[in-house]
Amino acid sequence: MDILQKITNDKRIEVNLRKQLIPIKQLEQSVLFERDTISLAKKLKASNTGIIAEHKRRSPSKLVINHNLNVFDVAKGYENAGVCGMSVLTDGKYFGGSLEDLLIARASCHLPLLRKEFIIDPYQIIEAKAYGADVILLIAAILTNAEIKQFSELAKSLNLDVLLEVHNEAELHKSIMPSLDMLGVNNRNLKTFEVSLDTSKQLSNLIPEDFVKVSESGISNIQAIKQLQPYGYKGFLIGENFMKTNNAGESAMQFIEKLK
């Protein structure tokens, strides 16, 4: 069983438990449920740098990345650095994140927030909205075409942007639909954990112009972004590069300065 399958199996158990603890009606009464969302897709289209910076404490491939930085400082730092959006890992078991991280990030900055999660149930989309997210991530590798349609349409009805992540051509072809805003190409092979920017390059021509193109994983230097911009990529998700340092915001600021 690969890591994605393992995470997904655990996620089903977790979500079933959460549903029993907090019913949808309660989520819909959250103060944040009524807030106007900020479109990440629009921000990326208007940007020359396109950085989506992540808050991530650990990962299955790297184990501990950084347990010392607090979300408040990271969110404030990213906003001051001028990133386009912030990705917040909310998976606890494998990434050390939580929905509380999303709440704190929401209270700390005015950036579009992406709930980075393994979404396998509509409940998690309602949850994302209730905890202050502006964008949800859907992962083509763990969803059917019907689920992608159902989940993305639900997200759009809540005014959430949708970033769909693909790893290969087959996933891309099964997934393209009007209810998506951004198509993200993950450069990491989930079976081997190897990373190659060639994945983004090869899939770029197959992504229709209607969608904002985002490249994810393995983007740790300016050269990687400069290589991908001619392929039409407007967004670059940077997961570990800033979090590995003692000051994620400062690190993001220096990176963006060099990129301009």
Side-chain angles (χ1 to χ4, degrees), residues 3 6-8 10-11 58-61 63 91-97 118:
I3 187 70
K6 210 170 161 210
I7 294 172
T8 308
D10 286 339
K11 192 57 63 181
R58 63 172 192 264
S59 76
S61 59
L63 301 177
D91 173 78
K93 184 170 180 181
Y94 295 90
F95 292 86
F118 300 84

Side-chain angles (χ1 to χ4, degrees), residues 26-37:
Q26 197 174 322
L27 290 173
E28 289 173 340
Q29 284 160 7
S30 143
V31 178
L32 292 171
F33 205 80
E34 295 306 317
R35 68 174 274 276
D36 292 333
T37 51

Side-chain angles (χ1 to χ4, degrees), residues 49-60:
T49 51
I51 302 299
I52 306 162
E54 198 151 80
H55 180 271
K56 174 161 69 172
R57 292 186 182 87
R58 63 172 192 264
S59 76

Side-chain angles (χ1 to χ4, degrees), residues 104-231:
I104 295 166
R106 179 74 290 147
S108 315
C109 70
H110 299 287
L111 292 168
L113 295 182
L114 164 69
R115 181 186 186 188
K116 188 89 175 286
E117 184 54 272
F118 300 84
I119 290 179
I120 41 88
D121 191 293
Y123 178 85
Q124 293 162 287
I125 300 166
I126 309 281
E127 214 174 32
K129 175 77 169 171
Y131 280 82
D134 301 281
V135 193
I136 60 154
L137 173 74
L138 297 178
I139 302 171
I142 61 174
L143 300 170
T144 63
N145 175 277
E147 285 171 329
I148 294 167
K149 187 174 190 296
Q150 180 198 356
F151 296 172
S152 56
E153 286 175 357
L154 170 61
K156 296 315 295 173
S157 75
L158 297 170
N159 288 322
L160 295 170
D161 270 7
V162 181
L163 168 63
L164 181 97
E165 174 179 301
V166 298
H167 297 87
N168 54 46
E169 194 174 328
E171 288 176 11
L172 181 62
H173 286 315
K174 81 166 185 186
S175 312
I176 291 176
M177 55 189 76
S179 43
L180 308 173
D181 300 285
M182 296 163 279
L183 268 160
V185 178
N186 193 330
N187 300 306
R188 189 185 302 282
N189 181 317
L190 291 174
K191 291 185 170 59
T192 63
F193 284 124
E194 283 171 10
V195 171
S196 169
L197 295 183
D198 289 343
T199 312
S200 280
K201 293 174 184 175
Q202 285 157 7
L203 294 183
S204 67
N205 290 337
L206 304 173
I207 300 172
E209 291 304 311
D210 329 12
F211 306 106
V212 178
K213 295 182 201 174
V214 178
S215 187
E216 309 169 23
S217 291
I219 298 164
S220 56
N221 54 46
I222 307 294
Q223 288 71 28
I225 292 177
K226 297 279 187 207
Q227 270 189 57
L228 292 170
Q229 281 173 330
Y231 289 86

Side-chain angles (χ1 to χ4, degrees), residues 43-44 47-53 74-86 111-112 242 248-250 252-257 259-260:
K43 288 243 181 198
L44 292 175
S47 171
N48 296 323
T49 51
I51 302 299
I52 306 162
V74 172
K76 277 265 176 246
Y78 282 161
E79 187 167 38
N80 291 340
V83 305
C84 286
M86 177 175 175
L111 292 168
F242 307 141
E250 184 59 39
M253 189 175 280
Q254 289 169 9
F255 191 93
I256 288 170
E257 280 305 313
L259 192 53
K260 281 177 179 171

